[in-house]
Every structure is written in C-alpha cells, then in structure tokens.
Amino acid sequence: MTLRVAIIGGFGNFGAHVARSLAGDPAIQLIIAGRSVAKAEAFAGALNAAHPAEAGAYDLTGPPEALAALRPHLVINMVGPYNGQSYAVAEAAIASGAHYCDIADARDFVTGIGVLDDAAKRAGVAVLAGASSVPALTAAYCDEAARAMRTIHTVEYGISGAEQSNAGAGTVAAVLSFVGQRFTTLRGGRMTPVTGWSDLRRVTLPGVGPRWFGRANAPDLDLFVARFPGLQEHSFWAGHAIAPLHFGTALMGWLARLGLLPRLDRFAPQLVRVASLFDGLGTGTSGFFMTIIGEGADGRTLTRRHWIIARSGHGPFIPCIPVILIARHMAAGRRYAPGARPCLGIISLAEYRAEFAHFDIEATDA
C-alpha cells in the first residue's frame, strides 16, 4: 500500500526540503497542504515526484475535518514556531486515524505531548513530537555513549547557525522565544534557573574557527534527566555565526530581561529583515559541538567529543532528517508503537550519519 504523507507547511523552507527528499520514493504519495491552496498547488505541480503530488488546504486553526479530507496515513507538521502552538494538528491526525510527527524544538510543546497518549493508543497511531535536532539527534549521541558508559554525568552541546536570514520568521521566532527569558537547566544535580542567551562563551569548531554561544532552551533539559540517571550537569547553547548578530541578540535579551523590551519573538519578521543586511559577512556554514562525560565499566572517566560541520547552507537540512526517515521507514513497513511521546530512540546515530553523506555535512568524533 502506498503511504499517503501529508506535509503541513509543505511549501515552506523546511517543508519543501522534506517534500523533495520524499518525492522520489515510489511507496509514498505526497500531499502538500497549507493555508494557501494556490501555493500548495504550485509547489506540488513543480515537484518531480514518483506519484504526482496532491495539494490541499489546511489551517492550523481550522476544523479537524479538513485534515481528514486529505486522507493521510502520516501527518508531518512543519509549521512553526511551536512555542505556544496547540496540539490541534496532532489531535486532528489522531481523529483521522493517521500517525503524526513534527520538528518541534519547543520545550513545553515536546515534553507535554504525552497528554495525547491515551487518545493515540485508542486510535492505534504513533504521535512523535520533537523529531528534530533537539531532542532526537542529541539523544542519539547520548544513547550511543550510554552503551559504553555505566553513568553519564555531564552533557553539553550547542548549535551555531549560518546566516539566520536564510530561515523563515517562524524559525527565528523559536530562537527569540527564550532570549532574555528564564528557564531551568541541570547544574550540580539540581534544576537551576538561567537566562536565555546569557553566559556568553566562545567555542572553536574544527575547520571553522571560534563561534560565540549563549544559553538556550530545549526539551532535552527536562527529558534527559529521566533518560540518563546520574546526570549532574546538562547545558544547551546556541549562537549566530555572525558575531554582530550574536551580540546584538544578547543586548536585546538583556533589555528584555530588564523589562525594557517585550518578548523578542514578536519582532521575528522585522529582525529577519535586519539580519539580511549582514549576509555578506556569512559563510553558509553551521556548526554543532557536543561533549559527553561519564564513567566506564571500570569506573574510569570517559569523555566523548563530537562535532558536526554543515557547509553550503546545508545546516537547516539536519532538523528535517528524523521526519524524513520516519516517513521512509513507515512506507517500507516499519511500525511504531501507538501512543504520544517525544521522539527519543527513534532515529539512530548511524542513520543520521548515513543521511549526512548526501549533503555537505561532516561529522567527526574524538
């Protein structure tokens, strides 16, 4: 049976990449959906798919019956930002008997998806939130380390994006949602409040050079405490590749913290336009670093260091890998256990690395 995959926001920056990646699979029938039927039809018509892609109308705030009318087997929600977004798409997918996944990296959205667990189980469908860089990719690295370590006690990692003007306002809003805002992270075995984009630090990425980072929020900061017992220190960092943008964001975060500016995500469209003025300073290179420290079976300290360098503007492809693989796996006959949960343990590190080989993305370890 051909798997009918509805991509909500399938003509946007990230959705279009997912659609193009799945288009050649003869076991998949794509349905490109969004608020603009005209845009969906134009993109679907230009897509060189194994089966001619269909187009449909779907608005996140519309009636659930609109999703059922698309007759999907799998729904991929690519419409961000997910901060403050309801579970309407996932609920509509459950009501229509379809599986669901998304690329959410919003902490509350991903960690709270379990409220749909009973409904998903009754419908016999899998609902996977956070099929993105965080928590899916970061968990894959830690899961591999956990096979060699009897205890993981320290995990830190960060993402430095290329020119942010290449991303849509929704992606930028997701980052700005925590800049200058308070959230908790694990320090000394206790959840401790920190401020987004604070504690600026510089990290050298192999083949790239130094990049600036500030504290960032992610679902991992809640999820990994339970997943890796013994964890004492856990931090996530984010930064702009272009230093003036990074420090400008830090300044705005400081003003927001003092109450002199409102939450910065409301300014995302305007800041995307401002960021475009700095594109000439960029290189199109994104970077990721990760350090995992724990104890081996003999009690000795083990340290693992990982880096991902994505050139040619291919960094935004990385968050899309899990939903692409989930669709391919389902089309090939794999079944995921019914229920609603964060996307942990679904995509292995080996599967990630196999996908990196198709792009200008290099993963190294030490």
Side-chain angles (χ1 to χ4, degrees):
M1 181 182 71
T2 302
L3 185 75
R4 292 180 57 83
V5 178
I7 306 177
I8 311 303
F11 47 82
N13 290 338
F14 290 96
H17 173 66
V18 172
R20 294 188 186 103
S21 298
L22 297 175
D25 193 325
I28 290 177
Q29 170 66 61
L30 287 176
I31 308 154
I32 308 300
R35 285 188 299 177
S36 172
V37 177
K39 290 182 179 179
E41 290 176 342
F43 182 81
L47 197 60
N48 185 22
H51 303 285
E54 300 176 12
Y58 183 75
D59 190 324
L60 270 61
T61 61
E65 294 80 10
L67 186 62
L70 303 178
R71 299 181 294 112
H73 300 130
L74 169 65
V75 175
I76 303 178
N77 178 10
M78 301 296 294
V79 181
Y82 298 89
N83 302 83
Q85 189 178 134
S86 74
Y87 295 124
V89 182
E91 291 170 331
I94 293 171
S96 64
H99 303 280
Y100 168 93
C101 60
D102 58 48
I103 62 167
D105 56 9
R107 186 169 178 172
D108 291 344
F109 185 95
V110 175
T111 60
I113 195 66
V115 299
L116 302 181
D117 190 55
D118 289 342
K121 287 178 177 176
R122 288 194 299 270
V125 298
V127 173
L128 304 172
S132 187
S133 299
V134 289
L137 173 60
T138 47
Y141 272 111
C142 289
D143 286 343
E144 184 175 87
R147 287 191 279 272
M149 300 177 179
R150 66 183 184 186
T151 302
I152 294 175
H153 59 71
T154 300
V155 179
E156 68 166 4
Y157 43 90
I159 298 173
S160 173
E163 300 78 80
Q164 293 303 301
S165 56
N166 290 334
T171 304
V172 173
V175 175
L176 294 175
S177 67
F178 59 74
V179 175
Q181 304 300 310
R182 299 286 275 176
F183 56 86
T184 56
T185 191
L186 190 67
R187 304 175 76 176
R190 300 180 63 181
M191 296 301 285
T192 305
V194 295
T195 301
W197 221 260
S198 67
D199 299 332
L200 299 186
R201 59 183 295 196
R202 193 164 71 160
V203 177
T204 298
L205 303 177
V208 176
R211 291 279 180 93
W212 286 96
F213 291 84
R215 288 194 178 274
N217 200 4
D220 314 29
L221 299 178
D222 284 325
L223 298 173
F224 285 13
V225 176
R227 189 171 183 82
F228 304 105
L231 191 62
Q232 296 293 305
E233 302 285 340
H234 184 194
S235 59
F236 174 49
W237 305 79
H240 291 301
I242 301 173
L245 289 179
H246 186 90
F247 290 110
T249 302
L251 175 60
M252 290 190 298
W254 180 71
L255 294 173
R257 180 67 185 144
L258 292 176
L260 300 177
L261 284 177
R263 281 177 56 108
L264 300 180
D265 45 349
R266 68 186 297 176
F267 302 122
Q270 295 89 339
L271 292 176
V272 167
R273 291 194 290 272
V274 172
S276 67
L277 302 176
F278 294 83
D279 279 356
L281 301 178
T283 63
T285 300
S286 301
F288 167 87
F289 76 89
M290 187 172 206
T291 302
I292 305 171
I293 304 173
E295 291 183 4
D298 58 0
R300 295 183 179 181
T301 298
L302 292 178
T303 300
R304 292 190 171 193
R305 303 184 192 279
H306 308 280
W307 298 271
I308 300 173
I309 306 301
R311 298 181 174 83
S312 306
H314 288 180
F317 296 163
I318 297 175
C320 299
I321 288 175
V323 296
I324 292 169
L325 292 180
I326 288 168
R328 288 179 183 164
H329 291 165
M330 292 188 67
R334 184 182 299 187
R335 293 293 174 262
Y336 297 103
R341 56 197 180 275
C343 187
L344 301 172
I346 301 296
I347 307 300
S348 71
L349 193 55
E351 289 173 317
Y352 266 107
R353 286 172 167 156
E355 287 299 304
F356 292 164
H358 300 311
F359 305 100
D360 194 358
I361 300 173
E362 177 184 3
T364 59
D365 312 287

